[in-house]
Amino acid sequence: MESTLQGQLKSWRHHLHQRPETGFEEVDTSAYVANILKTLGLEVERGIGGTGLVATLRAGSSARAIGLRADMDALNIAEQAPGRAHVSLNAGKMHACGHDGHMSMILGAARLLAERRDFDGIVRFIFQPAEEHGRGAKAMMADGLFERFPVDAIFGAHNMPGMRAGTFATRSGGIMASEDNFVIHIKARGTHAARPHMGIDPIVIASQIVLALQTIVSRNLDPGLQAVISCTEFITDGIRNVIPSNVTIKGDTRSYSKDVQALLETRMREISEGICRTHGAQCHFEYTHEFAPTVNSPEYVDLAVTAARNVAGENSIDANVQPMMISEDFGAFLQAVPGNFIFIGNGETNARGGVPLHNAGYDFNDEILETGARYFAEIARLALPRG
Ligand SMILES: [Zn+2]
Ligand SMILES: [Zn+2]
């Protein structure tokens, strides 16, 4: 094993960066990670929720346990990085979200904790598949993750381009949004464009629905809360001189709590079905939960803030960052156990690490690997203190 932590973290990340695999196909990735964890002396269980794995490290006698999570999947993006020595070897796939860096940081924390054993309890290193799909956390939990490997709290992080390298940001409550998808099918009666009175026009009905949906956020939601409803597709089976029989509206909603999610779904259904009924059309309303909101527990936010401060210094932590309307599969774990999710700055815009996530030129910033590894090791030390 390479002697310096930074050299080790960098070589792990570059290996993973060169071999990106997408959701539920992280076979070589999980094998590579499992091998490192076994070499460090941890117990490793593979094949949890598909390609997921859990490694366990014990010290002292306490039965208290925490989970440290990394995500393993890459994206179907062709990397465009001329001159990058560790460029992807898998055509059309790349680690454009920095999950290679997240894995390397969690492996680094495992190495630090295995060497020091300066905690009392159980640390579980959770490597999940398919974060980008919002499916991997659910798959692991459906496979008995927390029954087989119970934890009292769980911690995760995401690198953030646009934030100064190696700084941290978190908040109590909702930090990342839920994502739900909806499909509204309107079945009416098509007719000749010049004979509208002979039919029931679903375009007029669907247009009223699109406008009425905008009143949910403005008129039904408490102004102190936040949500987005976006209609993103409007599909008809009409042609230029034919009023269609069918319109399908598709779209996406975001919010920060289960209550707001439920309000959006209920009001959207009532409005869609009510307007269709008014006009004598049939309505079929579908609403699916894609991502849970990521909601941090105050006690673990305090712990994470202390860990970040101990590792990176007083001025490196924003403890009340603005929430982000993007979604993260970690939220599904936080519905089952309390914990904290934190952002780690990957580099300011126009600096190293400032290329946006999911961009073909993106790369995780190697300079923050050691800070991230030490942060997660510090979390274990603080959450599982020795008597
Ligand atoms: Zn992503
Ligand atoms: Zn990501």
Side-chain angles (χ1 to χ4, degrees):
M1 198 159 282
E2 189 157 337
S3 56
T4 72
L5 180 63
Q6 173 59 18
Q8 180 82 85
L9 294 169
K10 196 169 150 183
S11 84
W12 284 335
R13 187 185 80 79
H14 289 195
H15 179 100
L16 291 163
H17 191 89
Q18 287 193 284
R19 294 160 185 85
E21 296 172 301
T22 44
F24 292 123
E25 292 170 1
E26 306 93 337
V27 177
D28 293 346
T29 303
S30 57
Y32 179 75
V33 166
N35 187 46
I36 291 168
L37 292 162
K38 279 182 197 153
T39 306
L40 292 169
L42 277 64
E43 300 160 33
V44 180
E45 282 272 356
R46 294 187 60 191
I48 302 157
T51 45
L53 71 89
V54 177
T56 301
L57 179 67
R58 294 166 208 274
S61 56
S62 169
R64 274 189 58 80
I66 62 159
L68 305 177
R69 189 227 47 176
D71 36 14
M72 298 192 288
D73 54 327
L75 289 147
N76 287 311
I77 295 175
E79 188 164 10
Q80 284 166 26
R84 186 176 292 167
H86 57 278
V87 72
S88 169
L89 303 173
N90 295 349
K93 294 183 194 287
M94 80 173 281
H95 271 296
C97 206
H99 299 181
D100 51 340
H102 300 166
M103 287 186 274
S104 183
M105 291 190 303
I106 296 289
L107 290 171
R111 173 176 155 176
L112 288 169
L113 291 167
E115 285 169 0
R116 297 182 193 152
R117 297 186 183 258
D118 54 352
F119 62 96
D120 183 13
I122 303 163
V123 182
R124 302 196 191 278
F125 301 87
I126 300 167
F127 288 78
Q128 76 151 88
E131 188 286 321
E132 297 286 352
H133 303 209
R135 295 283 185 273
K138 274 179 232 152
M140 288 189 85
M141 289 192 287
D143 209 359
L145 172 66
F146 293 130
E147 290 77 27
R148 291 159 69 188
F149 309 98
V151 296
D152 299 297
I154 188 164
F155 299 87
H158 208 294
N159 76 94
M160 202 49 71
M163 244 173 82
R164 186 155 58 84
T167 60
F168 292 82
T170 186
R171 74 192 310 277
S172 276
I175 185 166
M176 295 178 96
S178 62
E179 179 184 340
D180 295 341
N181 291 345
F182 62 87
V183 181
I184 307 165
H185 294 287
I186 299 145
K187 187 163 180 51
R189 189 162 69 238
T191 178
H192 195 292
R195 309 276 294 159
H197 62 290
M198 300 292 289
I200 298 172
D201 184 349
I203 290 186
V204 174
I205 297 167
S207 302
Q208 290 180 3
I209 290 173
V210 170
L211 292 177
L213 293 179
Q214 301 310 308
T215 64
I216 298 172
V217 173
S218 65
R219 301 291 87 174
N220 300 135
L221 183 68
D222 179 333
L225 301 172
Q226 287 164 289
V228 177
I229 297 175
S230 293
C231 296
T232 55
E233 294 177 68
F234 195 105
I235 305 150
T236 87
D237 59 355
I239 53 174
R240 195 176 47 80
N241 58 354
V242 174
I243 291 171
S245 291
N246 296 286
V247 171
T248 302
I249 304 166
K250 295 186 185 178
D252 167 305
T253 77
R254 310 278 169 138
S255 67
Y256 293 112
S257 78
K258 283 193 123 174
D259 292 349
V260 175
Q261 259 180 309
L263 172 80
L264 300 185
E265 178 174 359
T266 303
R267 286 297 295 137
M268 289 180 73
R269 183 186 300 278
E270 287 169 353
I271 286 171
S272 302
E273 292 176 351
I275 290 175
C276 283
R277 201 175 311 117
T278 300
H279 294 281
Q282 289 168 28
C283 182
H284 183 72
F285 181 82
E286 294 168 24
Y287 194 91
T288 54
H289 300 286
E290 304 298 322
F291 286 87
T294 300
V295 183
N296 287 333
S297 324
E299 59 177 308
Y300 294 113
V301 172
D302 291 347
L303 192 138
V305 166
T306 306
R309 190 177 288 139
N310 292 353
V311 165
E314 187 69 41
N315 298 323
S316 65
I317 169 85
D318 178 355
N320 191 22
V321 71
Q322 276 263 100
M324 291 212 191
M325 267 290 170
I326 51 177
S327 305
E328 161 62 65
D329 202 21
F330 191 78
F333 290 132
L334 288 179
Q335 308 245 294
V337 275
N340 177 265
F341 192 74
I342 203 163
F343 302 129
I344 302 182
N346 199 54
E348 283 168 308
T349 313
N350 301 324
R352 181 195 176 98
V355 177
L357 298 170
H358 294 200
N359 181 293
Y362 167 87
D363 197 18
F364 189 93
N365 186 349
D366 286 322
E367 288 166 16
I368 70 170
L369 284 168
E370 187 165 345
T371 304
R374 291 189 186 284
Y375 163 77
F376 280 112
E378 184 68 5
I379 288 278
R381 210 179 61 81
L382 294 174
L384 306 170
R386 283 194 289 197

